[in-house]
Amino acid sequence: MKKLISLIVLVLIFTSCSGQTKFGNPEVDPIQIQNKFMDWWTYQSKNIMLSRDFTALDLLSKEISKESFLDQLVNGNFIPIRLKSADSIYCYKLFKIQPKSDTSIKATINQIAFDALKNYKMEGTVFPKFSFKDLNGNVVSNETMKGKIIVVKCWYIHCAACIKEFPQVNHLVEEYKDRKDILFISLAEDTPEQLKAFLIRKPLSYSVIPNLKVYMNETLDLNAFPTHFILNKEGIITKVVNDFESLDVALEKESKL
């Protein structure tokens, strides 16, 4: 019996040390990936999307809430690593940041997680009331869009990441063109004159509303761009994301409800 207990203890220790869980093994070595900032950043930017739905595991492989997971990334000393699974399944686990790792890794994770946590806390709340005119003079408001699924893109002309995703979001509009219950609007910081000149060179298929820097900074309290909102037909925010891939997945889910 003592030998059996000892064997079980050894198995548990090995499993904990290797990072292996019932959800699968880490898809990269959590220690090796921290050797260089660019190695970690390349992995992080391609494989970790904190805005999407995922199963969250703590340091001991215990399932925790997404909010708790993000809070530990903001205030703790952890990196998230995705566990090996099917392409459509996302499971992230916390791993300790190594003492000799580049300090930029921790600082970057803290900021990314801070934005993700802030976005997550907005989900399930009512989108602030608004009534604006787009570049074509059409009134866009909570009332005019009642009973519709609304996709909102927040951006500005000099945001490189905002412009880079134009082809993808334009394709998204084309993909849902037959869905009359889905509308796409964009809130921009810039003036009508600046936007009209810019959009000749870089077309955007969304309805574009100018002069909303104050609204985005103060009412929506945004500090990261682009930011995308998905509102359900009751005007409730169902998803807030900062990347196109998560937007695409979230809109597909919302469109089927």
Side-chain angles (χ1 to χ4, degrees), residues 96-150:
K96 277 284 188 182
I97 294 178
Q98 298 301 299
K100 294 183 179 180
S101 294
D102 189 323
T103 55
S104 297
I105 292 179
K106 182 180 187 303
T108 305
I109 288 175
N110 290 161
Q111 184 57 54
I112 292 172
F114 176 85
D115 293 336
L117 181 59
K118 184 178 177 182
N119 289 347
Y120 179 72
K121 288 181 176 180
M122 295 179 72
E123 294 172 9
T125 66
V126 178
F127 194 80
K129 284 191 174 295
F130 63 92
S131 181
F132 307 114
K133 283 188 178 181
D134 67 16
L135 289 178
N136 296 319
N138 301 310
V139 175
V140 180
S141 70
N142 304 75
E143 289 301 315
T144 62
M145 297 188 299
K146 208 168 185 178
K148 309 282 187 183
I149 294 172
I150 312 300

Side-chain angles (χ1 to χ4, degrees), residues 77-239:
N77 193 44
F78 304 105
I79 60 170
I81 298 291
R82 185 180 175 185
L83 304 185
K84 292 178 181 177
S85 57
D87 289 343
S88 59
I89 298 174
Y90 284 78
C91 183
Y92 298 154
K93 182 179 184 301
L94 296 175
F95 288 88
K96 277 284 188 182
I97 294 178
Q98 298 301 299
K100 294 183 179 180
S101 294
D102 189 323
T103 55
S104 297
I105 292 179
K106 182 180 187 303
T108 305
I109 288 175
N110 290 161
Q111 184 57 54
I112 292 172
F114 176 85
D115 293 336
L117 181 59
K118 184 178 177 182
N119 289 347
Y120 179 72
K121 288 181 176 180
M122 295 179 72
E123 294 172 9
T125 66
V126 178
F127 194 80
K129 284 191 174 295
F130 63 92
S131 181
F132 307 114
K133 283 188 178 181
D134 67 16
L135 289 178
N136 296 319
N138 301 310
V139 175
V140 180
S141 70
N142 304 75
E143 289 301 315
T144 62
M145 297 188 299
K146 208 168 185 178
K148 309 282 187 183
I149 294 172
I150 312 300
V151 182
V152 183
K153 171 182 167 72
C154 299
W155 67 290
Y156 58 96
I157 285 175
H158 296 294
C159 168
C162 301
I163 310 308
K164 184 179 180 181
E165 66 177 16
F166 270 25
Q168 293 170 300
V169 296
N170 286 342
H171 179 75
L172 199 63
V173 175
E174 178 66 20
E175 183 180 343
Y176 289 94
K177 66 180 180 180
D178 295 328
R179 288 288 301 266
K180 304 306 179 184
D181 61 333
I182 300 179
L183 300 178
F184 296 83
I185 68 171
S186 74
L187 314 183
E189 291 189 356
D190 315 277
T191 67
E193 295 73 23
Q194 290 171 324
L195 287 165
K196 287 176 181 178
F198 180 81
L199 293 171
I200 291 174
R201 296 183 289 107
K202 298 282 187 179
L204 177 62
S205 298
Y206 284 45
S207 173
V208 180
I209 304 171
N211 292 328
L212 290 188
K213 183 174 183 178
V214 172
Y215 179 82
M216 288 191 285
N217 289 350
E218 296 183 6
T219 303
L220 297 181
D221 193 26
L222 300 184
N223 58 5
F225 294 88
T227 294
H228 303 273
F229 293 86
I230 295 179
L231 318 182
N232 67 16
K233 295 181 179 182
E234 287 72 48
I236 304 298
I237 300 170
T238 60
K239 207 68 180 169

Side-chain angles (χ1 to χ4, degrees), residues 20-65:
Q20 184 178 2
T21 74
K22 68 176 183 178
F23 296 95
N25 297 320
E27 61 182 4
V28 295
D29 186 326
I31 296 177
Q32 188 74 22
I33 199 67
Q34 299 180 52
N35 286 344
K36 296 179 182 178
F37 175 82
M38 284 310 301
D39 288 344
W40 168 80
W41 174 247
T42 300
Y43 169 77
Q44 163 79 26
S45 58
K46 290 183 178 179
N47 298 75
I48 305 296
M49 298 179 188
L50 297 176
S51 56
R52 70 167 64 228
D53 296 328
F54 59 86
T55 298
L57 303 179
D58 67 9
L59 196 63
L60 300 177
S61 299
K62 178 184 176 183
E63 195 167 341
I64 58 177
S65 69

